[in-house]
């Protein structure tokens, strides 16, 4: 009765959430199987607790009665307790639309393959303000904050944070049917990642529309040292694939320090690196204006590969230190660097120009800052015709999309 949530500040101003606590596999905090009506109010659930996963059940701690007999230390989990981590549970799973004022969903460290919010039908789950927190420690893995799979949508003015853990995602959305009046699979406030491993924090495919209204903040994202072509371990802030897929993650004002920081690693079984900032593929699009994206020892900072792919990082900064391309656009993919700053360090190559074809990178107003003597601004490929040395500087600047100085 004394609980108050301020939707403007996204904070509890009176009282406190009283969460449902889940300590077992394949459990659900809020489940609605009805097909009419809606769900309103304030909702909170904890899947696990710090250092605590699956727990055995003892009735004497609850009511002393179970058909006249106490149950003591009973294992209720489907796998017979072989895995101490909580698996396959949901914070919210609903066939019915929701219209919550606020939410607090926490998935703790002794967990794997759990989901915060999941529409189980073509309905809109409006969960209001609040937070979804994946508190991974070193043991949580493959959990998802919001999961939309070909039907339904989730709308929130709150934030998603992913801290620690391995392979955890903030958002995973597959395009498909949308409820009437809804244009996006997922809309949230901010997505934050801290000290994650093997995580692509935001993933969209098959025409999914994802909107992150307050943008992303990613710090300490890395990859486990045993990354290989076999286990395919990788990390990145956002990945969009498939025609019609769009991830929008603009910053309201230009970031002056790196708000997305990624550290990659060299593969154990191949002479190449993994780890990226943003990647669009085969028609996917990412709109990430005014961000500052910094990638160290990764494969690339920004990649756009395949027909129709596009990454818009205009008005921001892209910094890359490594042995690959800072900006990689190929096979019909495009990158917009209008008004942005490109910082190159280490053995970085800025980008590639294929002789005889238009540069797939928009460089209007772009500036370049070089921090290492081993940097290459542009790589020229398939130059089959002779180059005129007397006009070489002008020609190369033109191809690179730069002004002569």
């Amino acid at each position: 009765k004394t609980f108050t949530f301020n939707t403007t500040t996204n904070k509890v101003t009176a009282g406190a959430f009283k969460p449902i606590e889940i300590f077992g596999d394949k459990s659900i905090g809020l489940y609605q199987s009805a097909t009419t009506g809606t769900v309103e109010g304030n909702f909170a659930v904890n899947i696990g607790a710090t250092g605590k996963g699956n727990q055995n059940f003892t009735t004497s701690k609850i009511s002393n009665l179970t058909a006249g007999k106490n149950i003591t230390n009973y294992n209720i989990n489907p796998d017979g307790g072989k895995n101490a981590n909580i698996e396959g549970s949901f914070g919210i799973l609903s066939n019915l639309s929701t219209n919550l004022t606020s939410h607090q969903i926490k998935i703790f460290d002794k967990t794997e393959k759990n989901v915060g919010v999941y529409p189980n039908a073509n309905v809109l789950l409006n969960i209001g303000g609040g937070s979804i927190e994946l508190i991974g420690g070193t043991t949580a893995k493959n959990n998802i904050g919001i999961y939309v799979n070909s039907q339904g949508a989730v709308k929130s003015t709150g934030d998603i944070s992913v801290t620690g853990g391995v392979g955890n995602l903030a958002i995973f959305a597959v395009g498909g049917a949308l409820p009437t009046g809804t244009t996006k699979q997922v809309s949230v406030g901010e997505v934050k990642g801290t000290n994650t491993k093997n995580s692509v924090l935001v993933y969209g495919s098959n025409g999914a529309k994802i909107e992150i209204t307050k943008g992303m903040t990613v710090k300490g994202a890395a990859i486990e040292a045993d990354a290989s072509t076999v286990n395919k371990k990788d990390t990145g802030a956002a990945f969009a694939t498939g025609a019609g897929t769009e991830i929008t993650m603009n910053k309201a004002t230009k970031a002056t320090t790196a708000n997305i920081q990624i550290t990659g690693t060299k593969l154990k079984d191949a002479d190449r690196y993994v780890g990226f900032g943003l990647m669009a593929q085969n028609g996917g699009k990412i709109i990430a204006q005014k961000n500052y994206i910094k990638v160290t020892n990764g494969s690339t900072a920004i990649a756009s590969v395949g027909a129709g792919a596009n990454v818009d990082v205009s008005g921001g900064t892209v910094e890359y230190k490594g042995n690959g391309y800072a900006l990689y656009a190929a096979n019909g993919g495009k990158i917009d660097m209008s008004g942005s700053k490109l910082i190159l360090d280490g053995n970085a190559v800025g980008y590639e120009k294929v002789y005889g074809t238009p540069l797939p990178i928009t460089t209007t107003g772009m500036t370049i800052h070089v921090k290492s003597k081993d940097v290459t601004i542009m790589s020229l490929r398939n130059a089959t015709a002779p180059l005129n040395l007397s006009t070489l500087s002008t020609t190369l600047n033109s191809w690179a999309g730069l002004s002569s100085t």
Side-chain angles (χ1 to χ4, degrees):
K1 293 180 180 181
T2 60
F3 182 88
T4 304
F5 187 88
N6 188 318
T7 56
T8 301
T9 61
N10 197 45
K11 294 183 181 298
V12 175
T13 56
F17 282 109
K18 296 182 179 180
I20 296 169
E21 296 183 336
I22 293 175
F23 290 104
D25 295 344
K26 300 182 179 179
S27 303
I28 303 172
L30 171 59
Y31 173 65
Q32 266 292 351
S33 60
T35 56
T36 59
T38 189
V39 179
E40 300 177 348
N42 305 283
F43 175 76
V45 62
N46 292 342
I47 300 178
T50 301
K52 294 177 67 175
N54 282 327
Q55 301 293 301
N56 291 349
F57 186 62
T58 299
T59 56
S60 60
K61 295 180 180 180
I62 309 299
S63 66
N64 286 322
L65 295 175
T66 304
K69 295 182 179 179
N70 281 331
I71 293 175
T72 302
N73 202 34
Y74 182 71
N75 189 330
I76 62 174
N77 296 297
D79 68 355
K82 296 177 183 177
N83 188 345
N85 288 346
I86 300 169
E87 302 175 90
S89 291
F90 293 81
I92 299 174
L93 185 150
S94 184
N95 297 327
L96 181 68
S97 63
T98 65
N99 191 25
L100 299 178
T101 300
S102 68
H103 64 280
Q104 178 184 275
I105 299 170
K106 295 183 178 182
I107 303 176
F108 286 86
D109 53 331
K110 298 293 186 180
T111 60
E112 58 184 277
K113 298 180 180 178
N114 301 282
V115 174
V117 182
Y118 180 78
N120 199 42
N122 188 28
V123 295
L124 171 61
L125 303 186
N126 183 352
I127 58 175
S131 64
I132 299 173
E133 303 172 44
L134 277 61
I135 308 165
T138 59
T139 51
K141 56 185 179 182
N142 303 326
N143 297 302
I144 302 173
I146 293 176
Y147 180 26
V148 176
N149 187 16
S150 304
Q151 61 177 357
V154 178
K155 180 180 179 181
S156 169
T157 56
D159 304 331
I160 305 176
S161 65
V162 182
T163 304
V166 179
N168 297 316
L169 287 81
I171 299 169
F172 188 105
V174 180
L178 282 170
T180 302
T182 304
T183 59
K184 303 175 182 68
Q185 270 71 23
V186 179
S187 178
V188 299
E190 184 179 13
V191 171
K192 296 174 280 190
T194 306
N195 298 331
T196 58
K197 290 187 177 180
N198 308 348
S199 294
V200 176
L201 287 168
V202 178
Y203 177 92
S205 68
N206 197 37
K209 303 290 192 296
I210 300 170
E211 179 184 42
I212 307 168
T213 60
K214 294 187 287 186
M216 295 186 69
T217 302
V218 181
K219 306 288 186 181
I223 307 168
E224 290 179 310
D226 65 343
S228 70
T229 59
V230 177
N231 60 39
K232 301 185 185 303
K233 293 179 180 180
D234 206 344
T235 192
F239 184 97
T241 182
T245 302
E246 290 185 9
I247 299 172
T248 303
M249 46 177 286
N250 297 325
K251 300 292 285 186
T253 57
K254 181 178 179 179
T256 56
T257 58
N259 61 289
I260 294 176
Q261 298 180 25
I262 306 290
T263 301
T265 192
K266 188 176 181 181
L267 294 174
K268 288 295 186 182
D269 58 351
D271 188 21
R272 57 187 177 87
Y273 290 76
V274 287
F276 62 91
L278 308 175
M279 182 171 181
Q281 176 181 276
N282 298 334
K285 296 181 180 180
I286 299 177
I287 303 98
Q289 299 171 359
K290 299 181 182 178
N291 283 264
Y292 188 146
I293 299 161
K294 181 178 181 179
V295 176
T296 303
N297 289 333
S299 59
T300 185
I302 310 296
S304 183
V305 181
N310 193 297
V311 181
D312 179 356
V313 282
S314 59
T317 303
V318 175
E319 182 173 353
Y320 176 72
K321 181 178 182 180
N323 296 279
Y325 290 98
L327 311 173
Y328 184 71
N331 304 324
K334 296 181 179 180
I335 297 172
D336 188 349
M337 284 284 290
S338 301
S340 289
K341 183 178 184 178
L342 178 62
I343 302 173
L344 302 174
D345 200 354
N347 296 304
V349 178
Y351 42 94
E352 180 181 75
K353 160 74 175 177
V354 179
Y355 182 79
T357 65
L359 185 69
I361 300 169
T362 302
T363 60
T364 306
M366 182 181 82
T367 60
I368 298 177
H369 178 64
V370 175
K371 299 176 71 174
S372 167
K373 64 181 178 61
D374 298 313
V375 159
T376 302
I377 301 293
M378 183 188 72
S379 172
L380 180 62
R381 186 161 64 90
N382 294 346
T384 56
L387 299 175
N388 188 333
L389 294 179
S390 65
T391 60
L392 184 60
S393 176
T394 301
T395 299
L396 291 177
N397 278 322
S398 174
W399 285 346
L402 304 173
S403 300
S404 297
T405 57

